Amino acid sequence: MTALTALLILIVVMVIGVPIPLSFLASAAYICFVNGTDHLMLFTYGFRVQNTILLLTIPLFVMAGAVIDKGGIGEKLIEGLERFSKGSKVALGTVTIVACAIFGAVSGSASATTSCIGSIMTPRLKENGYTAGHIGALLASSGVLGIMIPPSILMILYAWGTGTSVLACFLATIVPGIILIILFSLVNAWLVKHEGPESPEARAALEQMLIDAQKKEAEKKLMKAERDKRKGGTSAIPAVLMPIFLLGGIYGGVFTTTEGAAFSVLYSLVIGIFYYRKIDFPTFRKTLSQSGETAGTIMVMLFMVSILSRLYMTENLPDTILNTLTSISSNRIILLLMINLFMIIIGMLMDDCSGTTLCGPILMPVMGALGVTPVQFAAILSVNIGMGNVTPPTAPLLYLGGRVAGAQVKDMLKPTFILIVFAWLPTLILTTFCSPLSLFLPKLLGYV
């Protein structure tokens, strides 16, 4: 009962707006107060579990994402993909989706993917007739591919919290991620076909914008070509090769996950400074500062959640959850659906890192009792957390996508719900009830 009350306190304080690390602390403080637990012992435990080389990948991948953003690598990547769009309005949305997947493969972060790709693609999409609400919804859902396509910070945190193989977790999310890419592209094509500008005024403004864009396009391309020749390289090949080298090196045994994160930082710095020439010393200093703030916030959150998870496990919260669920129904399908619903709610309330580090250790024993392996659960959790992050009313990634696209939430609701119903939910159902979907690649490469 104490654990369930503490879990309820956690949800309530997050709903009222308390920062997530402090919400974790409030729930842990309640358990300590009720049971008289020595808080000094918990602090020692928190520091001890963070003393692992695996967690060094987090600040490194955060740094890599920031360097890629500032170094023009994301822009060159998109320019390379745009060559396949051939001016098609539908294909431009597909370029956005695929660019988010590739960018996520080197940054490992959903928020970094959304902000970087979104800032580059929003003007292009608007020029081609996409509404702001459509753009915001598409960016929010596509940004989640940053936690689905490996390497992923989310899966690193899951592996750290549950003791599962990192590489197996990486592989488990690839097929669900590819399914999401395909379904996002199909849904986007349908939305483009059935949606127009939001009002007559918007339609007139859009037509004028397209006329102006066509007049300036040749001039802008010429000026940009001349500028790029003076400033640095223009080829997208170095940007495209980055995820190939990174994933090939990790799965080829050339370097570990942590060394791969360091490689991504070094590679992006080299091409950002010496090839694209977008990074100077002030930019590099700002990048270091921003990366440090982000990584520091994540590490503080991990410290708090590790303590809370320890207390939950001491209070046998997994057994309590399982007993509560089985008292409602003994049907395995119903139980899995209820657990999925719980994880979606957690994803709605928390950011992806917090939701993963909390749900992973607590729910893995429950899922194990229902016949779900830790590797399959990694894929299920990533889909649930990603879907929760774009599901109103809280939807942290949805609001980020709206800010990047300059869209109001009410304009994003319809395309978001269409994406949820026709892309997210089918992928979640397949990942939950079709285990080969997430276990095929780990088994094929001998990680399971």
Side-chain angles (χ1 to χ4, degrees), residues 45-126:
Y45 172 80
F47 282 114
R48 186 172 70 252
V49 296
Q50 283 192 309
N51 186 23
T52 170
I53 193 68
L54 179 62
L55 290 185
L56 186 59
T57 58
I58 295 175
L60 288 173
F61 274 127
V62 169
M63 179 67 182
V67 173
I68 291 169
D69 185 14
K70 302 295 183 182
I73 301 173
E75 183 177 358
K76 296 300 180 183
L77 177 64
I78 289 173
E79 289 178 359
L81 292 173
E82 277 186 322
R83 296 174 183 174
F84 299 98
S85 67
K86 298 180 180 179
S88 168
K89 182 178 178 180
V90 172
L92 194 63
T94 304
V95 166
T96 303
I97 297 166
V98 175
C100 286
I102 297 177
F103 186 90
V106 291
S107 70
S109 168
S111 57
T113 301
T114 302
S115 58
C116 179
I117 301 300
S119 62
I120 298 170
M121 289 303 301
T122 294
R124 291 171 164 86
L125 292 169
K126 287 184 176 179

Side-chain angles (χ1 to χ4, degrees), residues 388-412:
N389 275 189
V390 299
T391 303
T394 48
L397 279 181
L398 186 64
Y399 291 118
L400 175 60
R403 288 198 301 270
V404 173
Q408 296 182 0
V409 175
K410 64 181 180 66
D411 297 326
M412 294 189 292

Side-chain angles (χ1 to χ4, degrees), residues 353-431:
C353 294
S354 304
T356 300
T357 49
L358 179 66
C359 290
I362 294 173
L363 294 180
M364 191 177 72
V366 180
M367 298 296 278
L370 297 175
V372 177
T373 65
V375 175
Q376 183 187 359
F377 180 46
I380 295 172
L381 179 60
S382 65
V383 177
N384 275 293
I385 295 297
M387 179 176 167
N389 275 189
V390 299
T391 303
T394 48
L397 279 181
L398 186 64
Y399 291 118
L400 175 60
R403 288 198 301 270
V404 173
Q408 296 182 0
V409 175
K410 64 181 180 66
D411 297 326
M412 294 189 292
L413 291 180
K414 180 181 176 181
T416 296
F417 280 120
I418 292 175
L419 285 165
I420 289 174
V421 172
F422 295 103
W424 281 109
L425 286 177
T427 304
L428 178 59
I429 292 171
L430 287 172
T431 306

Side-chain angles (χ1 to χ4, degrees), residues 279-294:
I279 299 179
D280 51 19
F281 182 74
T283 303
F284 180 64
R285 184 174 58 186
K286 184 178 180 181
T287 300
L288 282 177
S289 176
Q290 293 176 345
S291 303
E293 291 176 4
T294 302

Side-chain angles (χ1 to χ4, degrees), residues 205-216:
L206 175 62
E207 291 175 354
Q208 185 60 44
M209 182 187 301
L210 290 174
I211 292 172
D212 294 340
Q214 290 172 356
K215 290 180 178 179
K216 296 179 180 179

